[in-house]
Amino acid sequence: MRRMAEEIQPAKEQSSWILSWLPSWCPTSPSQLKDAEEKMLKSVKQTFSRQHVRISGGNYLWTLAFSTQLQPCSPTNPQPEARPTPPLVLLHGFGGGVALWAQNLDSLSSSGPVYALDLLGFGRSSHPQFSTDPEGAEEQFVAALEEWREKVGLEEMVLLGHNLGGYLSAAYTLKYPHRVKHLLLVEPWGFPARPENPNHNSIPMWIRAMGAVMSPFNPLAGLRLAGPLGPMLVQTIRSDFKQKYSSVFDDNTVSDYIYHLNAQTPR
């Protein structure tokens, strides 16, 4: 296993006046995201490393790595030489991040190596400009995962994807089947081809105009535009998270983490 890259401080990039105004409106920052992630990961008992893995184009993927060492053979504990276990690689869903696996990491890493990474454009990974073409954007995600695999030095892996991560796991497996030992999909997304609409002209003009106006915006833009009301908005809309993590946290740790994941100014 190759040594992973060092932690990288996000580069400051020039942006429009709207984006430069958002940080003062949104109560978030990269350091607050880091603190929120660390608070989530305090519940993990297994030892792990966390680093940015550099890929091309100045991009990087934030990665947690858990490694399990086999017990050495001895006269009282003879063991046959075992083949290395393909590591389990976890890909989160839309709007997620590595720390949302907090309740699973100890059990999953008890039997073999595990990696969890923030997808390109999410969490503490780099946020590049994505193609407006769906196939082009998909290729960016898949290429980033393949470069990450090469950098970390994995020949083969067990790929587990949730939600958007499930869709991307399947897309990666279709392109690089020899790199995936097993594919595990948890509530995966699917995107059917856009159907041809013979009744397009029957759609009211105001609906088409609204669609044209909203199409350039990221689905998470509303959370950033909510400004100081954002944290309360997440707590209200995703109140289910507090119940799902009630065995670990009895406060708003999870909703705070989700807020800071998704309220960052696009870079």
Side-chain angles (χ1 to χ4, degrees):
M1 187 184 302
R2 300 176 191 169
R3 185 176 179 180
M4 292 191 296
E6 74 281 2
E7 183 170 344
I8 300 169
Q9 295 299 323
K12 294 182 179 179
E13 299 181 6
Q14 300 229 344
S15 57
S16 69
W17 69 268
I18 295 179
L19 295 185
S20 64
W21 166 76
L22 278 176
S24 62
W25 173 246
C26 297
T28 189
S29 67
S31 63
Q32 286 173 286
L33 171 57
K34 179 180 179 181
D35 292 343
E37 178 187 280
E38 290 180 351
K39 189 174 181 181
M40 288 281 293
L41 294 174
K42 282 182 180 178
S43 62
V44 179
K45 297 178 175 60
Q46 292 273 20
T47 302
F48 62 94
S49 63
R50 39 188 155 188
Q51 294 165 304
H52 283 109
V53 176
R54 293 179 183 271
I55 56 176
S56 64
N59 292 310
Y60 46 85
L61 298 182
W62 179 241
T63 304
L64 308 185
F66 296 74
S67 61
T68 302
Q69 301 295 330
L70 295 174
Q71 294 296 322
C73 296
S74 68
T76 59
N77 183 32
Q79 291 179 330
E81 185 175 347
R83 293 182 61 188
T85 303
L88 174 64
V89 176
L90 306 175
L91 301 185
H92 62 76
F94 183 78
V98 292
L100 289 180
W101 301 104
Q103 293 187 108
N104 313 106
L105 291 171
D106 282 327
S107 58
L108 290 176
S109 62
S110 63
S111 57
V114 174
Y115 293 89
L117 57 143
D118 282 342
L119 293 170
L120 188 68
F122 290 88
R124 298 179 65 190
S125 291
S126 57
H127 293 222
Q129 184 70 38
F130 280 93
S131 171
T132 56
D133 173 61
E135 291 184 4
E138 178 182 314
E139 175 56 29
Q140 285 177 264
F141 280 115
V142 171
L145 181 58
E146 172 61 7
E147 286 189 59
W148 174 89
R149 181 201 63 77
E150 291 179 348
K151 289 287 186 177
V152 176
L154 306 181
E155 290 299 317
E156 194 177 45
M157 56 188 168
V158 176
L159 202 51
L160 188 157
H162 171 249
N163 191 272
L164 173 62
Y167 175 86
L168 296 174
S169 295
Y172 177 88
T173 303
L174 288 172
K175 187 165 186 178
Y176 301 101
H178 58 294
R179 297 299 185 188
V180 181
K181 179 73 172 177
H182 298 292
L183 174 63
L184 306 174
L185 303 178
V186 182
E187 298 180 344
W189 274 12
F191 297 92
R194 177 180 294 180
E196 294 184 7
N197 185 0
N199 299 317
H200 174 75
N201 292 331
S202 66
I203 300 175
M205 179 64 71
W206 69 270
I207 293 181
R208 281 185 280 164
M210 183 176 293
V213 169
M214 296 302 296
S215 61
F217 289 93
N218 184 290
L220 299 171
L223 183 63
R224 291 187 285 271
L225 291 174
L229 298 179
M232 185 184 301
L233 187 64
V234 174
Q235 293 170 25
T236 302
I237 295 177
R238 295 311 309 264
S239 58
D240 58 309
F241 273 106
K242 192 166 186 176
Q243 182 178 359
K244 290 177 181 178
Y245 289 81
S246 59
S247 63
V248 184
F249 306 108
D250 59 3
D251 56 11
N252 293 320
T253 295
V254 182
S255 59
D256 287 346
Y257 174 59
I258 293 172
Y259 172 74
H260 290 300
L261 276 172
N262 296 296
Q264 300 296 307
T265 304
R267 295 190 290 273

